[in-house]
Amino acid sequence: MKVIITAAFFAAVAALLVFGPRDTGRPKPPAGFTEVTYWEKWTGNEGAQMQIIVDDFNRTVGREKHIFVTCLTISEIEQRTLVATAAGVPPDVAGLTDEQIVQFAAQDALEPLDDLAAAHGITRSAYKPVCWDGCVYEGRLWGLPSTPASVALHYNKRALHENEKALRQAGFDPDHLPTTLAELDRFATVLDRRDAAGRISRSGYLPMEPGWFINFTPYWFGGTLFDERSGRFTLTSPQVVRTFEWIASYSSRLGTGAMTEFKSGMSGVNSPQNPFLIGTVVTEQQGCWTANFIEDLAPALNRWGRFLQEEPAMIAAGIADRDERWRRFEAEIDEELRPLSPARKEAALQQKIIAESALGIEARRANYEWGAAPFPSAVDGMDDVTYTGFDALTIPRGARHPAEGFEFIAYVNRQDVAEKLNMMQCKLSPLKNVSDHYRNHHPNPYIGVFEQLAASPNSHGVPHCPIWPEVVDEMNDTTQKIYLLQESPQQALAEAQQRLQARLDQFQARRVERRSAGESRRSR
């Protein structure tokens, strides 16, 4: 994202200060306490879960050190934080994404945290390398991770077992997922289905469903879009070209018209009719938050084993449909909880989920209609490849209370707190070491798969490119051209590389000019 500081931006800051987010219902800091203003992008459950952490801090460390954190939900947080920083009125803590850290650091919009981290005994050795290194740019630490998530291959167990005969005839075991990308391609072909009119009715795998991690797909081919050492884009490297040839191969095999029609009939990701949830896409690349995602949208998929055990009695009672079984289960819960207030009802539901998580890992996995495994690599011998992204807590440049703000950041990075937050959000711990409680009671029973992937030497984050948000925009257009077979991968990638390198060179030139001008003003 390109942000140019203009008079209009400063006007926006004024509007933010006058009409910006206010929550008069939140408690005020006690007298004599330093108030730390914390801006976060999360709404809904994630926002409520982070507020629990904020409240915990205020009751414990905050009370002891006379610090009170006020958390405000901010839309378009990256733009507003840059604007507020430029105007000299930033928050004390800002919750950014991994994609924004290098961008902000390169624009001198963040405070370096090296000294504050060292004073708290916080070092790289305690973290998964991908989480710590993603916060470091040009040798300085600019944030600390809060909620990481790695990516794996998710699969529908029921679909695999319903197609066991066809899979075995093709040389596959439905209980063992492919370990190479070539195997995944063949595996997907066995599971593809078309109706009598030739329309796709089920897909074994689609690179563009949901397609959230396309820009990181070169990692599975041993490549990357950007070489951090040289500061040059590498879109025309053999590994990247091969990546997008692979994406285009699905369009060639399935037909762009049939594939486009199939995708156009899909509901959005945030829908109970999500194609993975209803089984029309059998395998997909997704993050570790999937267990919570399914619990919200299609909870029956997290009770599959339970329903299998109850099936004879259900059928005898004339209840053959899985969704009807789930409706009856929900009705039982509703009847039990109806007298409670909404807040008490939500708490009781959470207790039911916690009680279920007390089952052993294997028992919980058996309950799930889906599973997770490492996404297969295209390179022989290169195992446990993943993209690990994360949210991060940062201190914007010019924050009034950096020391107090870092007290909160350090608190969130304590092992017990990090595990509590990430278990609620169904994500990873950023730390190397995790507790037995975390391993055994995480809402995702496959969390061990994701932990293994995130800690792997082949776990990669966002490339340290200061115009990465612009890269995302450019690559969205480029991928579309390749995916729809409108341009060859070589042609589309070469054109995109030329445009992106020109933008980066311009950005770096302006950065040098800006810093030179700043040094001149300071020397006067």
Side-chain angles (χ1 to χ4, degrees), residues 171-366:
F172 293 107
D173 180 344
D175 292 318
H176 294 85
L177 274 290
T179 57
T180 70
L181 208 56
E183 288 179 350
L184 177 62
D185 294 341
R186 288 199 304 114
F187 190 83
T189 302
V190 175
L191 296 166
D192 289 342
R193 292 289 182 273
R194 293 180 186 265
D195 62 20
R199 294 185 293 264
I200 300 170
S201 57
R202 186 179 71 199
S203 174
Y205 178 76
L206 280 179
M208 295 298 290
E209 179 53 44
W212 292 351
F213 312 105
I214 287 296
N215 293 329
F216 308 109
T217 306
Y219 292 149
W220 281 268
F221 287 79
T224 180
L225 298 183
F226 184 71
D227 178 32
E228 297 173 11
R229 292 184 179 181
S230 65
R232 311 293 294 178
F233 287 98
T234 55
L235 275 62
T236 58
S237 69
Q239 296 90 340
V240 175
V241 171
R242 188 181 168 207
T243 301
F244 284 87
E245 288 175 342
W246 171 72
I247 293 169
S249 73
Y250 274 76
S251 303
S252 298
R253 177 170 63 81
L254 296 172
T256 55
M259 195 168 55
T260 301
E261 182 181 12
F262 179 59
K263 281 186 63 64
S264 67
M266 295 177 180
S267 295
V269 173
N270 192 27
S271 164
Q273 298 302 306
N274 171 310
F276 179 73
L277 303 188
I278 63 175
T280 55
V281 172
V282 181
T283 65
E284 73 172 8
Q285 191 182 59
Q286 261 295 12
C288 54
W289 55 76
T290 295
N292 265 8
F293 188 72
I294 292 175
E295 188 68 37
D296 289 341
L297 298 174
L301 273 65
N302 287 350
R303 309 293 189 280
W304 188 47
R306 173 178 176 168
F307 291 145
L308 288 179
Q309 294 166 11
E310 297 174 354
E311 188 165 18
M314 289 280 191
I315 293 174
I319 306 170
D321 179 67
R322 182 192 64 186
D323 292 332
E324 184 181 349
R325 298 177 206 175
W326 179 251
R327 284 193 293 273
R328 292 204 175 193
F329 178 64
E330 281 189 313
E332 292 173 9
I333 294 177
D334 187 61
E335 183 69 26
E336 179 183 343
L337 303 181
R338 187 176 298 161
L340 302 180
S341 68
R344 291 284 301 279
K345 182 175 180 179
E346 180 64 28
L349 287 170
Q350 287 294 325
Q351 287 302 313
K352 285 182 175 288
I353 294 172
I354 291 169
E356 184 162 304
S357 74
L359 296 172
I361 290 294
E362 292 306 319
R364 293 172 59 210
R365 288 184 176 184

Side-chain angles (χ1 to χ4, degrees), residues 57 69 77 82 87 157 170-171 198 206 218 242 292 304 323 363 383 395 418 446 448 483 489 499:
F57 173 85
V69 175
I77 192 170
L82 280 175
K157 296 177 186 177
L206 280 179
R242 188 181 168 207
N292 265 8
W304 188 47
D323 292 332
D383 301 323
I395 297 179
Y446 291 91
Y483 171 64
R499 288 190 291 268

Side-chain angles (χ1 to χ4, degrees), residues 53-67:
I53 301 300
V54 170
D55 293 342
D56 288 348
F57 173 85
N58 287 338
R59 282 194 299 267
T60 57
V61 174
R63 178 175 295 176
E64 175 190 342
K65 298 191 175 183
H66 290 78
I67 301 169

